[in-house]
Amino acid sequence: MSEQSAVRRQRRKRLAARSFEWLCLTATFLCIIVLAALLSGIIYRGAGWLSIEFLTNGPSRFPDQSGVKAALIGSVWLIGLTALISVPLGTGAAIYLEEYARPGILRQFIQTNVSNLAGVPSIVYGILGLGLFVRTLAIGDTVLAGALTMSLLILPVVIVAAQEALRAVPDSIRHASLALGATRWQTIQHQVLPAALPGISTGTILALSRALGEAAPLIAVGALAFVSRYPLGPMDKYTVLPIQIFNWTGKPQHDFQNVAAAGIIVLLGVLLCMNALAVFIRYRYGKQIRW
Amino acid sequence: MCAAVSVLTTLGIVVVLLSQARGFFQEVSLVEFFTDTRWTPLFEQKHYGILPLVSGTMLVAAGSALVALPVGLCTAIYLSEYAAPRFREVVKPVLEILAGIPSVVYGFVAVVFISPIIREIFPSADVFNAASASLVVGVMILPMVISLSEDVLGSVPQALREASCALGASQFETIVRVVVPAALSGIVASFLLAVSRAIGETMAVTLAAGATPNLTLNPLESIQTMTAYIAQVSMGETEHGSTGYNSIFAVGISLFVITLLMNLLSQWVLSRMREKYE
């Protein structure tokens, strides 16, 4: 091989390396640009439609009189009930798996089961809710049925988050408590749970914010798209923000798309607040405990 | 006690889906379900062949994979191998925002922004088309591909990189010949999980891909996915106990089986990789 062709090969190799790095950098920036374009497009379409009336009006046939009040209150009801159902169940399951269950086939089985449940499409939870809660238990298309369905959906996420928080509590705390004569339950109640609480609440808030944005299962359990009044109790009919947005997006009139964009801004705003709360809890309380 | 709930949920899914689907399969034979090429449960002439729905689902999943996998992998490689730590600290939270956006928002984006652009370029495209759905679903699963792939790339032992560089390989050669092959099974697992998520995605495809069960490979046509069919029927006034109503459970169980298989496969691939390096 002549010296010249060796040099040329060297140069070509360097060029390939350089362009690969640029390719990867471009991909990274592409992701960021897509996000920026997405958000600015939505703000451009929706910001002009955002007003106090938009927050206090119910749905309407006319775009300029439409508002998110009924949907917003419906979402609050749904998330509140979902939290009431899924947090005790999820934390309980995590405590069992981490503190009580002995390593073995049963625990392995439950663990695999939990991680597989997290991968089931949300619409499948929806028809499970439709078959189980709405029809078989005859709860009907009420907030309660929606919240039960939503709880099943986020339960795996809550369990995994709570398990991680419990696992982060060092064993020395448990041993010290047991050595002082506390029972197993007293140890969990007074030592382990308080120490794991910030982690559990952070994970739960993130799971609930996922439930807030989720619409597919609620379509199946009958969250109505046009509800003029908001729910007053768990057995009322309801609609939620994502369903309302879905409904507006599907309308042929151009103006309703702007209303949908405004609804999306409200939804993203609420989600942002919830995530900020989770981050706040993680930093504020996570640092207090030192081992 | 409480852990039983998760097991009960799984059992519940299987039992509810199976019992409702049994009503469906009493009227429609399995042969028709799997081989008929038409899906028209809401028309006068009823046909129950799931193939058009499956092909619609796969079309969107393949399209979104085409968008998400190369971009996601390149981004993961950049973040894990090239990027300075401070750059990574800024970019990762930004990508997490992308992951937190609800799917109905992606549906809105597909209908309002993407679809008009596609019709501008290809005037023959339908208003609702598989391509716009694929694009947004691709963006949707992107954060998942990035974070999972980056995790596995990061878990490749530093010693391997050092050994490769010590033998005279450049950074590019190290990445392409050593790091990526070492992390390959984890990357494949992340791809599988992401595609399984794309298959199960509902809101964006219901809004963007249309509602015409259509056995086609043309992404510019209007199609219907399995998830979108379930959403459409459960939104409408289909009578409880009718074949149309029961059909969503039959479609649901097919969907459940497909995604479960993909998730199990990805777990299996991942567990094989772990054995290698620990």
Side-chain angles (χ1 to χ4, degrees):
Chain A
M1 201 187 298
S2 76
E3 203 174 304
Q4 226 179 4
S5 74
V7 167
R8 208 176 295 148
R9 239 186 64 178
Q10 199 67 329
R11 202 174 286 160
R12 209 181 307 140
K13 260 170 120 178
R14 213 171 293 155
L15 187 72
R18 185 60 66 75
S19 28
F20 181 72
E21 187 178 344
W22 277 103
L23 180 76
C24 292
L25 183 63
T26 315
T28 310
F29 274 108
L30 189 68
C31 299
I32 300 172
I33 290 168
V34 164
L35 176 68
L38 203 140
L39 291 180
S40 53
I42 289 168
I43 291 172
Y44 170 73
R45 290 292 291 266
W49 290 75
L50 217 52
S51 62
I52 298 295
E53 287 85 59
F54 185 70
L55 292 177
T56 55
N57 279 354
S60 163
R61 276 183 295 129
F62 306 103
D64 46 357
Q65 287 172 21
S66 295
V68 288
K69 188 186 180 192
L72 202 55
I73 294 176
S75 277
V76 171
W77 263 102
L78 182 84
I79 294 305
L81 283 175
T82 306
L84 279 182
I85 300 165
S86 64
V87 172
L89 276 179
T91 318
I95 289 176
Y96 173 75
L97 285 173
E98 284 303 307
E99 307 289 328
Y100 288 105
R102 288 194 198 89
I105 298 175
L106 181 68
R107 182 174 159 184
Q108 189 64 40
F109 173 71
I110 296 176
Q111 199 68 63
T112 318
N113 199 352
V114 169
S115 50
N116 276 325
L117 273 183
V120 174
S122 56
I123 187 89
V124 173
Y125 283 98
I127 54 177
L128 169 70
L130 176 66
L132 193 62
F133 301 127
V134 179
R135 306 282 186 201
T136 312
L137 298 180
I139 300 175
D141 40 9
T142 60
V143 188
L144 184 61
L148 285 168
T149 310
M150 220 35 133
S151 303
L152 292 185
L153 174 73
I154 66 166
L155 206 51
V157 188
V158 176
I159 293 177
V160 171
Q163 270 186 298
E164 264 161 27
L166 289 171
R167 219 173 289 155
V169 179
D171 268 341
S172 56
I173 300 269
R174 292 187 188 89
H175 294 159
S177 172
L178 292 171
L180 287 172
T183 62
R184 208 163 196 184
W185 169 239
Q186 282 170 331
T187 304
I188 294 171
Q189 191 187 0
H190 296 297
Q191 304 301 331
V192 180
L193 263 189
L197 203 58
I200 296 179
S201 24
T202 306
T204 309
I205 294 173
L206 291 181
L208 285 176
S209 73
R210 179 177 164 209
L212 186 66
E214 193 67 70
L218 295 178
I219 283 190
V221 295
L224 290 180
F226 197 95
V227 182
S228 47
R229 44 183 285 267
Y230 50 87
L232 296 167
M235 298 310 274
D236 278 347
K237 291 185 183 300
Y238 66 109
T239 187
V240 291
L241 269 176
I243 301 263
Q244 188 74 64
I245 293 165
F246 171 76
N247 193 30
W248 279 329
T249 308
K251 292 206 174 182
Q253 297 98 316
H254 183 263
D255 276 352
F256 267 116
Q257 293 183 345
N258 295 340
V259 176
I264 288 174
I265 297 176
V266 174
L267 177 64
L268 291 181
V270 177
L271 286 176
L272 196 67
C273 291
M274 287 180 74
N275 286 343
L277 184 66
V279 171
F280 173 75
I281 291 178
R282 186 164 20 172
Y283 278 98
R284 178 77 175 71
Y285 297 97
K287 277 184 185 159
Q288 276 184 357
I289 310 160
R290 284 183 201 284
W291 287 298
Chain B
M1 37 172 217
C2 291
V5 177
S6 83
V7 180
L8 284 180
T9 310
T10 318
L11 275 181
I13 291 180
V14 175
V15 168
V16 169
L17 293 185
L18 272 183
S19 65
Q20 303 273 356
R22 211 185 56 195
F24 174 77
F25 285 117
Q26 273 166 0
E27 288 168 57
V28 181
S29 71
L30 274 173
V31 177
E32 181 185 351
F33 188 62
F34 285 118
T35 57
D36 198 327
T37 54
R38 277 164 300 176
W39 180 267
T40 54
L42 306 174
F43 292 165
E44 200 73 16
Q45 190 93 48
K46 289 184 177 14
H47 283 279
Y48 298 98
I50 200 172
L51 282 178
L53 294 182
V54 173
S55 83
T57 306
M58 291 307 159
L59 188 61
V60 172
S64 62
L66 220 57
V67 175
L69 302 191
V71 179
L73 184 57
C74 285
T75 307
I77 290 176
Y78 188 81
L79 288 180
S80 153
E81 304 296 320
Y82 291 111
R86 290 202 44 196
F87 181 79
R88 189 165 31 191
E89 271 166 37
V90 176
V91 171
K92 285 198 83 172
V94 172
L95 293 176
E96 273 168 33
I97 301 179
L98 210 53
I101 293 177
S103 69
V104 67
V105 177
Y106 285 105
F108 172 84
V109 170
V111 172
V112 174
F113 300 122
I114 311 282
S115 178
I117 297 175
I118 289 180
R119 276 161 60 84
E120 190 87 359
I121 303 171
F122 305 101
S124 66
D126 291 327
V127 180
F128 299 107
N129 53 60
S132 62
S134 303
L135 274 175
V136 291
V137 174
V139 175
M140 222 171 117
I141 61 175
L142 198 53
M144 201 169 169
V145 177
I146 296 172
S147 77
L148 291 175
S149 303
E150 206 216 323
D151 280 351
V152 288
L153 286 172
S155 71
V156 172
Q158 197 62 32
L160 280 184
R161 293 191 188 89
E162 282 159 9
S164 164
C165 289
L167 288 173
S170 67
Q171 193 185 9
F172 167 67
E173 284 163 336
T174 306
I175 293 171
V176 176
R177 303 253 171 86
V178 177
V179 180
V180 171
L184 195 62
S185 51
I187 293 171
V188 171
S190 82
F191 286 180
L192 285 171
L193 273 185
V195 171
S196 141
R197 166 120 193 259
I199 291 174
E201 161 48 35
T202 309
M203 300 312 290
V205 293
T206 308
L207 276 169
T212 6
N214 191 349
L215 191 61
T216 176
L217 287 177
N218 181 355
L220 299 176
E221 281 180 37
S222 172
I223 52 135
Q224 185 167 44
T225 64
M226 297 159 80
T227 50
Y229 171 74
I230 297 175
Q232 183 202 5
V233 171
S234 48
M235 258 189 301
E237 304 280 305
T238 315
E239 204 181 319
H240 175 47
S242 67
T243 316
Y245 171 83
N246 284 339
S247 71
I248 64 175
F249 293 93
V251 175
I253 205 159
S254 319
L255 189 65
F256 178 67
V257 169
I258 293 175
T259 51
L260 186 68
L261 284 180
M262 292 196 66
N263 291 343
L264 287 176
L265 188 64
S266 105
Q267 278 169 17
W268 180 73
V269 171
L270 206 60
S271 71
R272 279 195 41 166
M273 178 191 111
R274 282 220 185 93
E275 283 163 30
K276 221 157 83 184
Y277 286 110
E278 275 177 36

